[in-house]
Amino acid sequence: MSTQPPRPPARRRSADPLTMEVVELIGDVVARFYADYEEAAGSHALTGPQARLLSLLALEPLPMRKLAQRLKCEPSNVTGIVDRLESRGLVERRPDSADRRVKLAAATEEGLRVARDLREGLHFAREPLAGLSTAERSSLRDLLRRMLDA
């Protein structure tokens, strides 16, 4: 068995100007989306993380660990966010029917209403997209999915 010296890391090409412009534009879009999201959340006296968690739970009840993964934070942070939303009647904890040891966080009826209001309050996310044709929106969606899958 021969031991070979480790290979040097592959040299990365420097990004071309078009790629850099696209990267900058994506950063601008993300920043504007988050600012819009924070404003919508604030109109409901929610923090951004509380609004994002509530939006996730509006889609389906989730275990705390999965919420932490989706929000990219520690489970203890999720517990605190759920506690605050639960105290406002927007979220409830319930046992998972598949595994009663697991607790699911779920949006209440009021939580679903607030999550719907949050979505409707996202003007930046909605208005520019409405100016694109269905084919353009589909193409953009497909390109973004490809980027995320890479």
Side-chain angles (χ1 to χ4, degrees), residues 85-129:
L85 292 173
E86 191 173 35
S87 72
R88 292 187 51 189
L90 301 175
V91 168
E92 64 186 9
R93 287 177 170 92
R94 50 174 91 140
D96 184 346
S97 60
D99 183 348
R100 301 203 49 89
R101 296 170 296 176
V102 174
K103 290 283 188 194
L104 298 176
T108 63
E109 286 300 317
E110 178 65 8
L112 292 172
R113 185 193 66 72
V114 170
R116 189 172 44 254
D117 288 351
L118 283 167
R119 273 192 313 276
E120 291 170 4
L122 296 175
H123 303 291
F124 172 71
R126 210 178 45 236
E127 291 168 3
L129 289 173

Side-chain angles (χ1 to χ4, degrees), residues 3 6 9 11-12 22-23 38 46 52 55 84 86 92 103 129 131 149:
T3 56
R11 294 193 70 184
R12 289 193 143 164
V22 170
V23 167
E38 292 290 330
L46 296 171
R52 285 189 285 284
S55 294
R84 288 185 285 285
E86 191 173 35
E92 64 186 9
K103 290 283 188 194
L129 289 173
D149 290 341

Side-chain angles (χ1 to χ4, degrees), residues 3 5 8-9 14 18 21 25 28 35 41 45 47 53-54 85 89 99 105 110 112 120 128 130 137 140-141:
T3 56
S14 59
L18 176 59
E21 182 180 4
L25 288 169
D28 292 346
T47 64
L53 187 141
L54 187 58
L85 292 173
D99 183 348
E110 178 65 8
L112 292 172
E120 291 170 4
R137 287 193 309 273
L140 178 60
R141 178 204 56 210

Side-chain angles (χ1 to χ4, degrees), residues 5-68:
R7 294 173 110 170
R11 294 193 70 184
R12 289 193 143 164
R13 295 183 320 186
S14 59
D16 62 275
L18 176 59
T19 299
M20 292 309 299
E21 182 180 4
V22 170
V23 167
E24 291 295 321
L25 288 169
I26 289 171
D28 292 346
V29 166
V30 168
R32 286 186 57 192
F33 175 78
Y34 273 113
D36 197 28
Y37 205 88
E38 292 290 330
E39 185 178 324
S43 71
H44 292 279
L46 296 171
T47 64
Q50 289 171 339
R52 285 189 285 284
L53 187 141
L54 187 58
S55 294
L56 285 172
L57 294 180
L59 301 173
E60 64 178 327
L62 291 167
M64 305 292 238
R65 186 167 305 290
K66 189 163 278 194
L67 280 168

Side-chain angles (χ1 to χ4, degrees), residues 53 64-65 67-68 73-86 93:
L53 187 141
M64 305 292 238
R65 186 167 305 290
L67 280 168
C73 68
E74 293 296 318
S76 60
N77 292 346
V78 169
T79 299
I81 296 169
V82 169
D83 287 347
R84 288 185 285 285
L85 292 173
E86 191 173 35
R93 287 177 170 92

